[in-house]
């Protein structure tokens, strides 16, 4: 359903109001989901690193990336990624390997235990989200689907 075009000053005001509200909602949402990660014993950032490795392995038999690729994928500095990888390796969730194509870099591979941890964290989030969606009307669920579609498009830009 298309909405009529707003005059420029109203559009700017609406855009600003939506931006402020979206930032507040997303911050609150993120804070609530961070508490779910306590069950895994890992920070959200470390879970995201494991998830990035898992995503890299979709359709392949090995889930691995270089430290630089992880830093780029997560928008985190290489030294920060290196520290996270060391901690995750000590926990048996990732394994560092020699990069046979480039001896200057290291490959980071997701271990079976790391994959289980990603799945556990994802299941916690999905379960929490599903419980919040129960009792919503079909109309509200449809609106959420539409809003998510728009957010996904915005993230792809």
């Amino acid at each position: 359903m298309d909405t009529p075009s707003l005059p420029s000053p109203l559009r700017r005001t609406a855009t600003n109001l939506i931006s402020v509200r979206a930032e507040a909602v997303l911050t609150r949402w993120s804070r609530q989901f961070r508490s779910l990660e306590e069950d895994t014993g890992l920070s959200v950032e470390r879970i995201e690193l494991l998830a990035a490795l898992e995503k890299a392995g979709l359709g392949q038999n090995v889930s691995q990336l270089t430290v630089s690729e992880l830093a780029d994928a997560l928008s985190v500095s290489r030294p920060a990624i290196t520290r996270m990888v060391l901690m995750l390796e000590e926990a048996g969730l990732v394994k560092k390997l020699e990069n046979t194509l480039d001896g200057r870099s290291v490959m980071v591979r997701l271990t079976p235990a790391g994959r289980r941890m990603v799945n556990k964290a994802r299941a916690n989030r999905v379960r929490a989200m599903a419980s919040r969606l129960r009792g919503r009307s079909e109309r509200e669920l449809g609106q959420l689907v539409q809003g998510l579609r728009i957010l996904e498009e915005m993230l792809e830009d």
Side-chain angles (χ1 to χ4, degrees):
M1 171 172 121
D2 288 331
T3 56
S5 212
L6 294 173
S8 190
L10 285 177
R11 184 172 179 78
R12 273 193 302 276
T13 300
T15 300
N16 289 339
L17 289 173
I18 291 168
S19 299
V20 168
R21 182 116 186 247
E23 190 278 333
V25 168
L26 292 173
T27 298
R28 189 168 163 213
W29 193 255
S30 176
R31 202 174 302 126
Q32 287 186 9
F33 279 101
R34 282 182 187 272
S35 68
L36 295 173
E37 305 307 337
E38 292 171 3
D39 185 38
T40 65
L42 295 176
S43 68
V44 172
E45 293 78 16
R46 290 179 179 142
I47 293 290
E48 287 175 352
L49 187 149
L50 295 175
L53 287 170
E54 181 191 47
K55 183 178 179 183
L58 292 178
Q60 301 175 20
N61 58 355
V62 177
S63 299
Q64 65 185 28
L65 292 170
T66 65
V67 169
S68 294
E69 289 168 333
L70 279 167
D72 292 344
L74 299 173
S75 299
V76 176
S77 72
R78 284 179 186 83
I81 291 291
T82 299
R83 287 189 297 275
M84 282 193 269
V85 165
L86 287 174
M87 180 271 179
L88 293 170
E89 184 178 38
E90 288 173 9
L93 302 174
V94 301
K95 182 175 174 127
K96 290 191 312 188
L97 305 165
E98 179 182 326
N99 185 345
T100 57
L101 299 176
D102 180 357
R104 298 169 297 162
S105 66
V106 173
M107 298 301 296
V108 181
R109 179 180 289 175
L110 188 64
T111 65
R115 188 175 308 282
R116 286 191 299 276
M117 186 65 75
V118 169
N119 291 336
K120 180 179 184 179
R122 186 175 293 124
N124 286 347
R125 288 190 303 267
V126 168
R127 193 172 30 259
M129 194 168 304
S131 74
R132 287 173 172 85
L133 293 173
R134 282 189 200 98
R136 297 291 174 182
S137 70
E138 285 185 30
R139 183 175 153 272
E140 288 174 315
L141 292 173
Q143 289 172 328
L144 282 168
V145 167
Q146 200 172 17
L148 288 171
R149 201 174 293 132
I150 292 168
L151 287 172
E152 287 172 336
E153 287 172 10
M154 290 168 52
L155 289 172
E156 291 173 6
D157 290 346

